[in-house]
Amino acid sequence: MTLDVSWAIAWVRGTAQTVAEHRDELVELDRQIGDGDHGENLTRGFTAVIQRLDALEEPPAEVGDVLKLVATTLMSTVGGAAGPLYGTAYLRAAKATGAPRLDSAGVVALLEGALEGIVVRGKSTTGEKTMVDAWSPAVEAAVLAADAGLDPAGVLAAAADAAERGAEATIPMVASKGRASYLGERSAGHRDPGAESSALVLRAAAWAAAEATA
């Protein structure tokens, strides 16, 4: 099986829905160690993405076109650090998907591109209590799943599971990057909101893939 533009659109619509459903949770997580606007910003950004998708006269031709639309919209509508980070992630993911349909290797390339974008834009690495702590294990799990012969839906499910574990693992971390780092030791004991929203984004991708293959 492979994933095409229909999957990408379903992924984006699923992300918009799950981000809206978890808006208050993300706001509360960000209030504890940040400025409290992560849930609001992402909800506004993905609402704008859906509005742009709905306004198109013709649907995007390829997966990369959908990801590029998400990137440019988030960059122009989401403030703080989240807009540039997610925007760069989707832009790098778009550049990594040069085929109209993605097999397991293509999905891995998409995820690797997104992680690369976040690392480059945020100048961050694992263990700093950021989005990287969800995306990095997700990519590692995706590579293992693809090497084991799983189809794209299986690869995305493995990535989403690992991202959720990664977000959970940020709870005891002391932040050394971003606004949370201002709290020092007091940042420990809280889940990173960016890692949590990353897990939601990847779970939406896995759900859309499962639906596409049902």
Side-chain angles (χ1 to χ4, degrees):
M1 67 156 291
T2 56
L3 300 174
D4 61 10
V5 67
S6 297
W7 161 76
I9 292 173
W11 174 20
V12 173
R13 293 191 183 281
T15 299
Q17 180 177 343
T18 195
V19 164
E21 290 172 351
H22 290 81
R23 173 190 171 281
D24 292 347
E25 175 189 348
L26 294 173
V27 166
E28 177 58 22
L29 289 176
D30 197 28
R31 187 192 64 76
Q32 293 167 352
I33 60 172
D35 49 17
D37 61 0
H38 191 58
E40 181 62 35
N41 281 341
L42 279 190
T43 300
R44 182 175 63 254
F46 276 97
T47 297
V49 170
I50 299 305
Q51 290 172 343
R52 282 194 63 189
L53 266 179
D54 290 343
L56 294 175
E57 293 184 1
E58 296 182 3
E62 297 186 356
V63 170
D65 297 330
V66 176
L67 301 180
K68 196 176 299 181
L69 180 146
V70 176
T72 56
T73 306
L74 293 183
M75 285 178 172
S76 62
T77 59
V78 177
L85 285 169
Y86 269 115
T88 306
Y90 278 98
L91 200 57
R92 294 291 183 104
K95 290 180 179 177
T97 55
R101 304 183 70 89
L102 302 182
D103 57 11
S104 295
V107 169
V108 170
L110 183 159
L111 298 176
E112 288 177 333
L115 172 60
E116 179 187 70
I118 293 167
V119 168
V120 169
R121 173 63 73 171
K123 297 180 175 59
S124 53
T125 187
T126 53
E128 294 181 323
K129 200 178 183 88
T130 72
M131 293 164 63
V132 176
D133 292 306
W135 281 91
S136 186
V139 168
E140 292 173 2
V143 170
L144 290 175
D147 288 347
L150 270 65
D151 65 12
V155 170
L156 284 169
D161 290 345
E164 288 170 359
R165 292 193 295 272
E168 180 77 14
T170 64
I171 294 176
M173 292 180 183
V174 175
S176 57
K177 208 78 177 180
R179 183 177 289 270
S181 66
Y182 301 162
L183 298 177
E185 296 289 337
R186 287 184 291 126
S187 65
H190 305 282
R191 186 187 303 250
D192 179 69
E196 181 65 14
S197 64
S198 296
L200 294 174
V201 167
L202 288 169
R203 181 57 68 191
W207 284 337
E211 286 291 321
T213 58

